[in-house]
Structure formats: C-alpha cells, structure tokens
Amino acid sequence: MAKKNPKSPTNGKLRVAGYIRVSTVRQKVEGDSLEAQKNAIARYLEYRSQVPCESVTFYVEEGKSAKNQNRPELQKLRADIEKGLIDTVVCVKLDRITRSVLDFADLWQFFVKHGVEFISLTENVDSSTTMGEAMMLIIMVFAQLERKVTGERTKGTMLDRAS
C-alpha cells in the first residue's frame, strides 16, 4: 500500500479503480469471468472496514493478454491516476493486472509515485512492508512463468495440428 494520494478528495472518501481482465473468450464465460471479478471487487469494497468509497470505476479488458502494458484500459487507468482521479486500485489477482515482473515493478513504482494504494484480493499481501513487496514480486515471477509455459504448450499444440 502506498501513501495516501495528496490529490484525494477532502471528504475522506476514496476514489477506487477496479481493474479486471480476461485473455480469452472462454475465460470471459467460465472461471475468472469479468462479471465474477467485478462482483468480487464490489463485495470487498462493500464489506471492507476502512474508509468508504466516493466512487468506483471499473477498467475492463476483454480478451487482452497481460504479457505487456499495451492495453487500452490499463493505459486509461494510468492516465486517470496521473490526473489524480484514483486513490486505490483493486484487482482480484496480481496476474490480472500483469504477468510480467518488469511491468509489475514499473506499475508498482508508478502507484507509489502517485500515492495510490494497490490491493490484490487473492494474494492479500501487505504491500506497505518490505516483506510484502518482496512477496508480490515472487508471486509475479510465477505468474510470468505460467504465461510463458502456457505459450510454449499452445505453440507446441499448434505445430502438432499443422503437421
């Protein structure tokens, strides 16, 4: 968790960004569907005991890989943070926001620079501590590994079907 955004509203309520993403049409319908992610974030915000929300904006990426930051909604989120419109970013899992260690480090520094709190519901890591930050980076290593192994399997399957 980064320090409080100095540009946040004076009424003490947070402006929250919910970031949700799926990379395939199948995921859109099954498992980590967009609706399931949105509902999980909404439930968390409804029941959290901290500061209430002034607003919640969802940034929704349908069918977008997290291998890099070239995603329209992620870029829109970054622009809104730069404008001082967001105090907290919430995602269901770290790998929803990125599957790249380098991109995560870049995003993390960006959040800290702008005083934006970052919350991942599944990992539940206290990112305000040195150990918590290290744990997030370790989790990202495995997310990146999973993305690369899946890519290798897909390529192998396609080559097999082509032959």
Side-chain angles (χ1 to χ4, degrees), residues 13-163:
K13 294 183 179 181
L14 296 176
R15 296 154 309 166
V16 177
Y19 184 83
I20 59 179
R21 179 194 66 79
V22 293
S23 54
T24 67
V25 173
R26 183 188 58 78
Q27 285 178 319
K28 188 175 167 184
V29 178
E30 303 171 9
D32 287 336
S33 75
L34 297 170
E35 195 65 28
Q37 291 178 59
K38 188 174 186 178
N39 290 339
I41 292 169
R43 277 192 308 276
Y44 168 78
L45 295 173
E46 182 179 343
Y47 295 109
R48 78 185 230 172
S49 61
Q50 300 166 352
V51 181
C53 298
E54 175 180 304
S55 63
V56 180
T57 304
F58 284 94
Y59 298 80
V60 182
E61 303 277 13
E62 292 185 36
K64 299 289 182 185
S65 171
K67 65 183 176 184
N68 59 45
Q69 293 188 55
N70 297 330
R71 291 172 266 149
E73 291 295 301
L74 182 60
Q75 293 307 312
K76 183 178 175 189
L77 171 62
R78 287 180 69 110
D80 287 349
I81 289 171
E82 285 179 331
K83 294 174 191 170
L85 301 176
I86 302 296
D87 302 305
T88 302
V89 174
V90 182
C91 64
V92 173
K93 293 174 21 181
L94 283 173
D95 69 4
R96 296 300 84 201
I97 200 154
T98 186
R99 285 186 178 255
S100 162
V101 174
L102 292 176
D103 284 345
F104 180 75
D106 176 64
L107 284 167
W108 176 251
Q109 288 176 351
F110 180 78
F111 293 155
V112 170
K113 175 183 175 185
H114 293 282
V116 171
E117 176 185 29
F118 176 70
I119 299 169
S120 174
L121 302 182
T122 301
E123 288 82 11
N124 194 23
V125 175
D126 182 356
S127 59
S128 67
T129 67
T130 302
M131 189 59 74
E133 187 176 344
M135 289 305 299
M136 286 193 308
L137 290 171
I138 290 168
I139 291 166
M140 287 311 308
V141 166
F142 286 101
Q144 181 173 302
L145 174 65
E146 181 182 1
R147 176 182 59 84
K148 288 185 174 189
V149 168
T150 300
E152 288 174 355
R153 274 194 230 123
T154 302
K155 183 179 178 182
T157 301
M158 289 179 166
L159 289 173
D160 186 52
R161 285 181 183 170
S163 63

